[in-house]
């Protein structure tokens, strides 16, 4: 018997769980090594200690009380076993254990085996899973609220933008709708004055007690204002708490936090065209999170699209154009570089496009020697061809990659002048543009690309009822690509002058076609052009 007891005790000492055996009164008869090592009081001999009484001494601890109640039920024979999980704060960390007490009989005597198994890793994983589930539930509730709010906001803003008949009405109705929705207390839309390089609120809505900026903002100078930063960077800007924003007092009265605590500025852009900036003020801090900003940017896209549609309709009925003239100084602009390298004047003649969409620009250079080689070596020029030589110079055809010429065309602009004088890298650029937004956008493109851009003039003027642009637009639907190219090349190369600046053979060679084919394209284009001018159907007989 002694040998068997010794074997049992030795086996218990090898177990990685704490084990104690109690008699029928709850006194400890036996413990294993793990139990002794876990004791925080430093005791190594627990035999004779009443385990249940010890647990009762800590009844203020809910877990100790539940353990004592369970053990007493097992000792009384009311239950065969009991188990519970409980935390234990050790000097190093908080741990979790599983206690299990089971009743058994030896030689007619009741005994209870008490086991404690550490389950910290599992418990922490369960707690983390529960917390994650709770966060998910809260996030889902928040998302449902946001979706409900956003759905109404998007629908109303879209209706306001699409239903408006003017840009002013779009701006006014959008500001009103946004400030009718929490948490926004003020909204304004600013437009850019291209000549003065300033921006100020154009339309706004909000609570009467919320102050509105009264000073104009200077672009490229007042960078700390979120509206200016948004336009300069081309992306949304957010101030989550004006109380921590160093320059808040510069833009808003002292104590602005009484009215609003966060600000968001979102550019209104359609493609490369910038219509202005939408600025929103929220009553609380930290409300414009990534999700909210995504909604605002989506709304800004809807507003910009509606503005573009209205501008497109206005362009079809308006009789005004914007005339813009700038001086550009930058060694990377091929026109100025060509004039400097050749020590010659470079004069713009016109523009067309190849069948693959490559821009073909025509320039007259008052020099002949090596002009094509010099031009072909410049950035932005992929190919240079001398179409003809006459007078003291040469007519160049330049195939252009992504450059100022193609950018202007993308913005609906028409180049009137793109010239450079000898030994002068300052290029004189004059344009006609369809509206102020296109003008602002192309001016931004020029400023971003080149070292120095100086605005020389900005003028809105009435255009004739039927402009060259109108005629060209109608012809574009009639002419084939090759017919249009033949007509443009002939005109720009002074084929119709006398004496001719270039021959039909030279133009045919530049297009990679035979002389007869070139003349067929040219005659067809001339017929369609004259038919348009004289309102004659080119397909009619007689």
């Amino acid at each position: 018997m002694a040998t068997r007891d010794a074997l049992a005790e030795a086996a218990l000492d090898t177990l990685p769980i704490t084990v104690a055996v109690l008699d029928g009164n709850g006194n400890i008869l036996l413990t294993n090594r793990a139990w002794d090592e876990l004791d925080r009081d430093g005791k190594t001999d627990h035999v004779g200690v009443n385990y249940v009484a010890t647990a009762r001494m800590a009844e203020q601890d809910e877990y100790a009380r539940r353990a004592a109640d369970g053990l007493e039920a097992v000792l009384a024979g009311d239950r065969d076993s009991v188990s519970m999980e409980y935390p234990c704060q050790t000097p190093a960390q908080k741990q979790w254990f599983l206690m299990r007490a089971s009743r058994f009989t030896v030689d007619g005597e009741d005994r209870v085996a008490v086991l404690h198994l550490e389950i910290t890793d599992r418990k922490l994983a369960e707690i983390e899973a529960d917390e994650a589930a709770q966060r998910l539930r809260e996030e889902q509730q928040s998302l449902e609220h946001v979706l409900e709010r956003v759905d109404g906001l998007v629908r109303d803003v879209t209706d306001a933008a699409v239903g408006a008949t003017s840009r002013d009405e779009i701006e006014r109705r959008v500001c009103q709708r946004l400030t009718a929705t929490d948490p926004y207390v003020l909204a304004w839309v600013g437009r850019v004055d291209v000549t003065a390089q300033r921006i100020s609120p154009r339309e706004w809505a909000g609570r009467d007690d919320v102050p509105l900026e009264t000073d104009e903002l200077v672009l490229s100078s007042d960078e700390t204002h979120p509206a200016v930063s948004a336009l300069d960077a081309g992306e949304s800007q957010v101030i989550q708490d004006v109380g921590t924003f160093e320059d808040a007092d510069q833009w808003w009265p002292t104590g602005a936090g009484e009215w609003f605590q966060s600000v968001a500025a979102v550019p209104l852009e359609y493609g490369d065209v910038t219509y202005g900036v939408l600025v929103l003020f929220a009553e609380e801090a930290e409300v414009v999170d990534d999700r909210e900003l995504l909604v605002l940017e989506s709304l800004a896209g809807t507003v910009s699209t509606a503005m573009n549609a209205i501008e497109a309709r206005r362009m079809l009925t308006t009789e005004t154009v914007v005339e813009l003239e700038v001086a550009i100084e930058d060694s990377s602009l091929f026109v100025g570089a060509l004039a400097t390298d050749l020590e010659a004047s470079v004069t713009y003649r016109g523009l067309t496009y190849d069948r693959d969409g490559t821009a073909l620009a025509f320039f007259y250079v008052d020099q002949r020697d090596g002009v094509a080689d010099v031009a072909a070596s410049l950035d932005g020029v992929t190919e240079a061809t001398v179409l003809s030589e006459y007078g003291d110079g040469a007519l160049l055809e330049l195939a252009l990659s992504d450059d100022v010429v193609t950018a202007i065309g993308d913005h609906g602009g028409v180049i009137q002048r793109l010239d450079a004088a000898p030994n002068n890298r300052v290029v004189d650029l004059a344009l006609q543009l369809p509206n102020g937004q296109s003008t602002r956008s192309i001016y931004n493109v020029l400023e971003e690309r080149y070292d120095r851009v100086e605005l020389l003039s900005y003028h809105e003027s009435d255009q004739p009822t039927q402009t060259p642009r109108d005629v060209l637009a109608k012809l574009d639907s009639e002419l084939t690509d090759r017919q249009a190219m033949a007509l443009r090349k002939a005109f720009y190369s002074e084929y119709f002058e006398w004496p001719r600046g270039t021959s039909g053979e030279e133009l045919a060679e530049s297009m990679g076609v035979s002389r007869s084919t070139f003349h067929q394209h040219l005659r067809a284009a001339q017929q369609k052009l004259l038919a348009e001018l004289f309102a004659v159907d080119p397909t009619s007989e007689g």
Side-chain angles (χ1 to χ4, degrees):
M1 183 67 175
T3 301
R4 187 175 66 178
D5 291 343
L7 181 61
E9 289 185 22
L12 287 175
D13 285 339
T14 65
L15 297 177
I17 59 177
T18 60
V19 181
V21 178
L22 312 182
D23 63 14
N25 297 316
N27 297 312
I28 296 177
L29 299 176
L30 175 68
T31 61
N32 71 342
R33 183 179 299 160
W35 183 290
D36 297 335
E37 291 175 351
L38 186 65
D39 190 276
R40 288 176 293 174
D41 297 329
K43 296 179 180 179
T44 58
D45 186 8
H46 302 86
V47 175
V49 175
N50 190 287
Y51 186 70
V52 179
T54 302
R56 286 294 184 197
M57 293 174 62
E59 279 206 341
Q60 69 278 9
D61 185 335
E62 177 187 356
Y63 294 102
R65 179 182 56 78
R66 287 171 53 194
D69 291 344
L71 286 170
E72 288 180 344
V74 172
L75 290 170
D78 297 334
R79 301 180 61 177
D80 291 332
S81 64
V82 66
S83 64
M84 62 173 288
E85 297 175 358
Y86 67 94
C88 179
Q89 184 65 55
T90 66
Q93 62 176 336
K94 184 176 183 178
Q95 295 176 293
W96 287 84
F97 292 87
L98 169 66
M99 184 204 79
R100 181 175 179 82
S102 302
R103 186 164 54 87
F104 64 99
T105 302
V106 176
D107 297 332
E109 299 289 338
D110 290 334
R111 299 287 185 264
V112 176
V114 181
L115 289 77
H116 293 263
L117 174 65
E118 184 183 359
I119 57 170
T120 302
D121 291 343
R122 176 178 68 78
K123 195 65 179 180
L124 292 178
E126 290 177 355
I127 292 174
E128 183 178 354
D130 290 342
E131 291 176 348
Q134 179 61 28
R135 288 195 302 269
L136 185 61
R137 286 191 294 270
E138 293 174 355
E139 184 174 349
Q140 183 176 2
Q141 293 173 354
S142 175
L143 182 59
E144 290 174 353
H145 173 72
V146 169
L147 289 176
E148 182 179 356
R149 168 182 166 273
V150 167
D151 181 61
L153 184 61
V154 171
R155 182 175 58 253
D156 291 348
V157 170
T158 300
D159 290 344
V162 174
T165 58
S166 68
R167 182 176 168 186
D168 290 341
E169 185 181 356
I170 289 178
E171 294 170 347
R172 181 170 57 256
R173 291 175 63 177
V174 166
C175 289
Q176 291 172 347
R177 184 60 191 90
L178 286 169
T179 52
T181 303
D182 291 335
Y184 301 112
V185 295
L186 174 66
W188 60 263
V189 173
R191 299 188 195 178
V192 176
D193 183 337
V194 177
T195 55
Q197 289 291 286
R198 294 175 184 272
I199 181 174
S200 59
R202 175 65 178 258
E203 296 286 347
W204 63 87
R207 289 196 334 224
D208 294 337
D209 62 329
V210 181
L212 179 71
E213 291 99 327
T214 56
D215 295 335
E216 290 185 333
L217 305 172
V218 180
L219 296 176
S220 302
S221 295
D222 297 331
E223 292 94 342
T224 57
H225 194 287
V228 177
S229 300
L231 287 174
D232 285 346
E235 59 184 26
S236 302
Q237 302 293 318
V238 176
I239 300 173
Q240 293 288 13
D241 187 351
V242 296
T244 61
F245 181 51
E246 294 181 358
D247 297 297
D249 292 342
Q250 180 180 351
W251 306 117
W252 305 293
T254 302
E258 298 177 11
W259 302 289
F260 54 82
Q261 295 187 28
S262 54
V263 184
V266 185
L268 298 174
E269 298 176 330
Y270 184 86
D272 289 334
V273 179
T274 300
Y275 290 101
V277 60
L278 171 65
V279 186
L280 290 154
F281 301 78
E283 193 170 18
E284 301 175 1
E286 306 291 338
V287 297
V288 187
D289 56 15
D290 291 342
R291 185 166 52 196
E292 182 74 9
L293 185 59
L294 184 63
V295 173
L296 295 179
E297 290 175 342
S298 177
L299 292 175
T302 300
V303 172
S304 300
T305 301
M307 287 181 174
N308 179 264
I310 286 179
E311 287 297 316
R313 291 197 298 268
R314 187 183 69 82
M315 287 170 57
L316 294 175
T317 58
T318 189
E319 294 185 355
T320 62
V321 294
V322 177
E323 296 175 346
L324 178 72
E325 184 177 2
V326 297
I328 303 173
E329 184 177 2
D330 191 298
S331 60
S332 67
L333 182 52
F334 71 92
V335 182
L338 183 61
T340 298
D341 293 347
L342 293 175
E343 298 183 358
S345 295
V346 178
T347 305
Y348 176 77
R349 286 293 178 80
L351 176 70
T352 188
Y353 291 88
D354 200 348
R355 62 173 59 189
D356 63 356
T358 301
L360 301 177
F362 300 86
F363 292 88
Y364 181 79
V365 183
D366 60 358
Q367 181 174 313
R368 294 186 177 188
D369 296 337
V371 292
D373 293 337
V374 173
S377 66
L378 300 176
D379 291 340
V381 179
T382 58
E383 187 178 354
T385 305
V386 175
L387 291 180
S388 65
E389 295 180 346
Y390 57 93
D392 295 327
L395 180 66
L396 276 175
E397 177 188 280
L398 304 182
L400 304 177
S401 58
D402 184 21
D403 203 272
V404 60
V405 173
T406 53
I408 291 169
D410 291 341
H411 285 77
V414 177
I415 298 175
Q416 304 297 313
R417 189 168 59 255
L418 183 58
D419 305 339
N423 301 311
N424 188 350
R425 291 185 181 273
V426 177
V427 175
D428 181 18
L429 172 62
L431 304 171
Q432 275 192 352
L433 291 143
N435 53 51
Q437 287 70 45
S438 297
T439 304
R440 166 64 184 167
S441 296
I442 194 60
Y443 192 82
N444 283 343
V445 170
L446 296 175
E447 280 196 317
E448 291 172 0
R449 292 192 181 195
Y450 302 116
D451 293 339
R452 187 177 72 84
V453 178
E454 181 182 355
L455 179 64
L456 301 179
S457 67
Y458 176 95
H459 181 62
E460 292 187 3
S461 62
D462 291 338
Q463 62 180 351
T465 303
Q466 176 128 1
T467 67
R469 184 193 301 271
D470 298 326
V471 175
L472 183 59
K474 293 180 180 179
L475 281 175
D476 279 342
S477 64
E478 298 288 340
L479 298 177
T480 67
D481 293 341
R482 304 299 274 175
Q483 291 168 359
M485 182 180 295
L487 187 61
R488 288 177 179 271
K489 283 198 173 193
F491 178 76
Y492 296 143
S493 62
E494 299 184 351
Y495 175 79
F496 300 111
E497 300 292 333
W498 186 261
R500 286 177 172 171
T502 187
S503 68
E505 289 82 354
E506 290 171 320
L507 292 174
E509 182 180 355
S510 73
M511 291 181 61
V513 297
S514 67
R515 181 176 179 276
S516 61
T517 300
F518 167 75
H519 283 292
Q520 287 175 357
H521 288 317
L522 183 60
R523 279 195 299 270
Q526 288 174 308
Q527 182 185 22
K528 292 178 180 179
L529 172 61
L530 294 174
E532 180 61 40
L533 290 176
F534 297 121
V536 176
D537 184 355
T539 63
S540 64
E541 298 181 359

